[in-house]
Tab-separated table of all heavy atoms in Angstrom:
chain	number	residue	atom	x	y	z
S	106	ALA	N	16.679	-13.172	-10.552
S	106	ALA	CA	16.688	-14.570	-10.993
S	106	ALA	C	16.802	-15.452	-9.758
S	106	ALA	O	17.556	-15.143	-8.835
S	106	ALA	CB	17.852	-14.830	-11.937
S	115	VAL	N	13.623	-16.042	-14.151
S	115	VAL	CA	13.942	-14.614	-14.112
S	115	VAL	C	12.664	-13.809	-14.224
S	115	VAL	O	11.802	-14.098	-15.063
S	115	VAL	CB	14.891	-14.219	-15.265
S	115	VAL	CG1	15.039	-12.695	-15.335
S	115	VAL	CG2	16.260	-14.844	-15.078
S	140	ILE	N	20.043	-13.908	-7.827
S	140	ILE	CA	20.811	-12.713	-8.164
S	140	ILE	C	19.823	-11.624	-8.566
S	140	ILE	O	18.689	-11.912	-8.975
S	140	ILE	CB	21.833	-12.948	-9.300
S	140	ILE	CG1	21.126	-13.332	-10.610
S	140	ILE	CG2	22.857	-13.997	-8.905
S	140	ILE	CD1	22.056	-13.376	-11.828
S	142	HIS	N	19.441	-7.221	-10.114
S	142	HIS	CA	20.077	-6.136	-10.855
S	142	HIS	C	19.171	-4.916	-10.859
S	142	HIS	O	17.958	-5.020	-11.057
S	142	HIS	CB	20.324	-6.582	-12.303
S	142	HIS	CG	21.182	-5.642	-13.097
S	142	HIS	ND1	20.660	-4.703	-13.956
S	142	HIS	CD2	22.536	-5.501	-13.163
S	142	HIS	CE1	21.660	-4.031	-14.527
S	142	HIS	NE2	22.801	-4.498	-14.059
S	156	ALA	N	16.916	-5.301	-20.020
S	156	ALA	CA	16.879	-5.413	-18.558
S	156	ALA	C	17.606	-6.690	-18.136
S	156	ALA	O	17.720	-7.653	-18.900
S	156	ALA	CB	15.437	-5.417	-18.057
S	157	GLN	N	18.104	-6.696	-16.918
S	157	GLN	CA	18.863	-7.838	-16.410
S	157	GLN	C	18.221	-8.366	-15.130
S	157	GLN	O	17.438	-7.658	-14.505
S	157	GLN	CB	20.311	-7.403	-16.130
S	157	GLN	CG	21.047	-6.925	-17.384
S	157	GLN	CD	22.480	-6.496	-17.074
S	157	GLN	OE1	23.151	-7.070	-16.227
S	157	GLN	NE2	22.951	-5.462	-17.766
S	158	PRO	N	18.553	-9.595	-14.740
S	158	PRO	CA	19.581	-10.492	-15.254
S	158	PRO	C	19.243	-11.036	-16.648
S	158	PRO	O	18.073	-11.244	-16.985
S	158	PRO	CB	19.609	-11.646	-14.232
S	158	PRO	CG	18.999	-11.085	-12.991
S	158	PRO	CD	17.964	-10.117	-13.479
S	159	THR	N	20.289	-11.278	-17.432
S	159	THR	CA	20.145	-11.996	-18.682
S	159	THR	C	20.130	-13.491	-18.380
S	159	THR	O	20.623	-13.932	-17.346
S	159	THR	CB	21.302	-11.665	-19.632
S	159	THR	OG1	22.542	-11.969	-18.970
S	159	THR	CG2	21.298	-10.190	-20.009
S	160	ILE	N	19.575	-14.279	-19.285
S	160	ILE	CA	19.467	-15.720	-19.034
S	160	ILE	C	19.726	-16.475	-20.328
S	160	ILE	O	19.337	-16.032	-21.419
S	160	ILE	CB	18.080	-16.073	-18.449
S	160	ILE	CG1	18.028	-17.539	-18.009
S	160	ILE	CG2	16.964	-15.713	-19.401
S	160	ILE	CD1	16.816	-17.878	-17.155
S	161	ARG	N	20.383	-17.630	-20.223
S	161	ARG	CA	20.712	-18.439	-21.394
S	161	ARG	C	20.868	-19.893	-20.955
S	161	ARG	O	21.503	-20.176	-19.939
S	161	ARG	CB	22.029	-17.945	-21.994
S	161	ARG	CG	22.331	-18.489	-23.377
S	161	ARG	CD	21.609	-17.711	-24.443
S	161	ARG	NE	22.072	-18.063	-25.774
S	161	ARG	CZ	21.600	-17.524	-26.891
S	161	ARG	NH1	20.674	-16.587	-26.825
S	161	ARG	NH2	22.061	-17.892	-28.066
S	169	ILE	N	22.055	-20.421	-17.214
S	169	ILE	CA	22.918	-19.397	-16.625
S	169	ILE	C	22.183	-18.069	-16.641
S	169	ILE	O	21.642	-17.651	-17.668
S	169	ILE	CB	24.239	-19.263	-17.403
S	169	ILE	CG1	25.005	-20.591	-17.395
S	169	ILE	CG2	25.108	-18.144	-16.835
S	169	ILE	CD1	26.183	-20.623	-18.349
S	170	ALA	N	22.148	-17.387	-15.500
S	170	ALA	CA	21.625	-16.022	-15.402
S	170	ALA	C	22.756	-15.137	-14.901
S	170	ALA	O	23.555	-15.546	-14.056
S	170	ALA	CB	20.437	-15.953	-14.458
S	171	LEU	N	22.817	-13.898	-15.417
S	171	LEU	CA	23.962	-13.038	-15.122
S	171	LEU	C	23.516	-11.584	-14.993
S	171	LEU	O	22.662	-11.104	-15.751
S	171	LEU	CB	25.021	-13.180	-16.211
S	171	LEU	CG	26.352	-12.449	-16.010
S	171	LEU	CD1	27.506	-13.278	-16.577
S	171	LEU	CD2	26.342	-11.076	-16.676
S	172	ALA	N	24.117	-10.857	-14.035
S	172	ALA	CA	23.894	-9.421	-13.847
S	172	ALA	C	25.247	-8.726	-13.803
S	172	ALA	O	26.208	-9.252	-13.251
S	172	ALA	CB	23.113	-9.167	-12.563
S	173	HIS	N	25.308	-7.513	-14.339
S	173	HIS	CA	26.583	-6.854	-14.626
S	173	HIS	C	26.544	-5.402	-14.182
S	173	HIS	O	25.603	-4.674	-14.494
S	173	HIS	CB	26.833	-6.938	-16.144
S	173	HIS	CG	28.050	-6.221	-16.637
S	173	HIS	ND1	28.189	-5.858	-17.965
S	173	HIS	CD2	29.179	-5.797	-16.021
S	173	HIS	CE1	29.356	-5.255	-18.138
S	173	HIS	NE2	29.972	-5.197	-16.968
S	200	ASP	N	26.258	-5.622	-23.621
S	200	ASP	CA	27.437	-6.455	-23.463
S	200	ASP	C	27.190	-7.616	-22.511
S	200	ASP	O	27.795	-8.685	-22.635
S	200	ASP	CB	28.636	-5.620	-23.007
S	200	ASP	CG	28.333	-4.710	-21.822
S	200	ASP	OD1	27.191	-4.696	-21.343
S	200	ASP	OD2	29.260	-3.985	-21.396
S	201	THR	N	26.270	-7.444	-21.568
S	201	THR	CA	25.958	-8.499	-20.600
S	201	THR	C	25.430	-9.744	-21.293
S	201	THR	O	25.811	-10.876	-20.956
S	201	THR	CB	24.929	-7.986	-19.577
S	201	THR	OG1	25.345	-6.716	-19.076
S	201	THR	CG2	24.752	-8.959	-18.435
S	202	SER	N	24.546	-9.561	-22.264
S	202	SER	CA	23.992	-10.701	-22.996
S	202	SER	C	25.070	-11.454	-23.763
S	202	SER	O	25.039	-12.689	-23.855
S	202	SER	CB	22.901	-10.231	-23.963
S	202	SER	OG	21.790	-9.732	-23.262
S	204	VAL	N	28.207	-11.789	-22.891
S	204	VAL	CA	28.954	-12.603	-21.926
S	204	VAL	C	28.155	-13.847	-21.551
S	204	VAL	O	28.700	-14.960	-21.467
S	204	VAL	CB	29.302	-11.783	-20.675
S	204	VAL	CG1	29.990	-12.656	-19.631
S	204	VAL	CG2	30.192	-10.599	-21.043
S	205	THR	N	26.859	-13.679	-21.344
S	205	THR	CA	26.006	-14.820	-20.988
S	205	THR	C	26.001	-15.857	-22.104
S	205	THR	O	26.078	-17.065	-21.848
S	205	THR	CB	24.572	-14.352	-20.697
S	205	THR	OG1	24.608	-13.245	-19.786
S	205	THR	CG2	23.742	-15.462	-20.078
S	208	LEU	N	29.338	-17.735	-22.026
S	208	LEU	CA	29.396	-18.686	-20.917
S	208	LEU	C	28.587	-19.941	-21.219
S	208	LEU	O	28.972	-21.053	-20.839
S	208	LEU	CB	28.874	-18.037	-19.633
S	208	LEU	CG	29.762	-16.979	-18.976
S	208	LEU	CD1	29.010	-16.316	-17.820
S	208	LEU	CD2	31.062	-17.596	-18.476
S	224	LEU	N	36.276	-15.127	-18.912
S	224	LEU	CA	36.597	-13.898	-18.180
S	224	LEU	C	37.921	-13.265	-18.598
S	224	LEU	O	37.995	-12.035	-18.751
S	224	LEU	CB	36.593	-14.162	-16.678
S	224	LEU	CG	35.230	-14.496	-16.057
S	224	LEU	CD1	35.383	-14.909	-14.596
S	224	LEU	CD2	34.278	-13.305	-16.172
S	232	SER	N	31.814	-6.014	-12.760
S	232	SER	CA	31.546	-6.733	-11.522
S	232	SER	C	30.306	-7.573	-11.812
S	232	SER	O	29.215	-7.037	-11.989
S	232	SER	CB	31.300	-5.771	-10.363
S	232	SER	OG	32.503	-5.190	-9.920
S	233	PHE	N	30.504	-8.887	-11.909
S	233	PHE	CA	29.443	-9.823	-12.272
S	233	PHE	C	28.940	-10.561	-11.038
S	233	PHE	O	29.728	-10.958	-10.175
S	233	PHE	CB	29.951	-10.895	-13.241
S	233	PHE	CG	30.290	-10.417	-14.619
S	233	PHE	CD1	31.377	-10.961	-15.303
S	233	PHE	CD2	29.530	-9.457	-15.268
S	233	PHE	CE1	31.710	-10.551	-16.583
S	233	PHE	CE2	29.845	-9.042	-16.547
S	233	PHE	CZ	30.936	-9.585	-17.204
S	234	VAL	N	27.633	-10.789	-10.984
S	234	VAL	CA	27.068	-11.875	-10.180
S	234	VAL	C	26.304	-12.754	-11.161
S	234	VAL	O	25.570	-12.252	-12.014
S	234	VAL	CB	26.161	-11.383	-9.036
S	234	VAL	CG1	26.960	-10.627	-7.994
S	234	VAL	CG2	25.020	-10.519	-9.541
S	235	PHE	N	26.531	-14.071	-11.096
S	235	PHE	CA	25.801	-14.976	-11.980
S	235	PHE	C	25.550	-16.290	-11.262
S	235	PHE	O	26.063	-16.528	-10.163
S	235	PHE	CB	26.505	-15.148	-13.332
S	235	PHE	CG	27.942	-15.594	-13.302
S	235	PHE	CD1	28.296	-16.864	-13.719
S	235	PHE	CD2	28.967	-14.724	-12.908
S	235	PHE	CE1	29.619	-17.280	-13.741
S	235	PHE	CE2	30.294	-15.126	-12.932
S	235	PHE	CZ	30.626	-16.405	-13.337
S	236	MET	N	24.748	-17.118	-11.874
S	236	MET	CA	24.286	-18.328	-11.199
S	236	MET	C	23.871	-19.381	-12.204
S	236	MET	O	23.567	-19.087	-13.367
S	236	MET	CB	23.079	-17.998	-10.299
S	236	MET	CG	21.878	-17.456	-11.072
S	236	MET	SD	20.464	-17.021	-10.032
S	236	MET	CE	19.816	-18.642	-9.640
Side-chain angles (χ1 to χ4, degrees):
V115 171
I140 63 171
H142 190 262
Q157 298 180 35
T159 56
I160 188 167
R161 193 82 170 180
I169 300 169
L171 185 145
H173 176 200
D200 49 359
T201 311
S202 294
V204 176
T205 311
L208 288 173
L224 293 173
S232 285
F233 291 143
V234 293
F235 55 109
M236 61 182 285

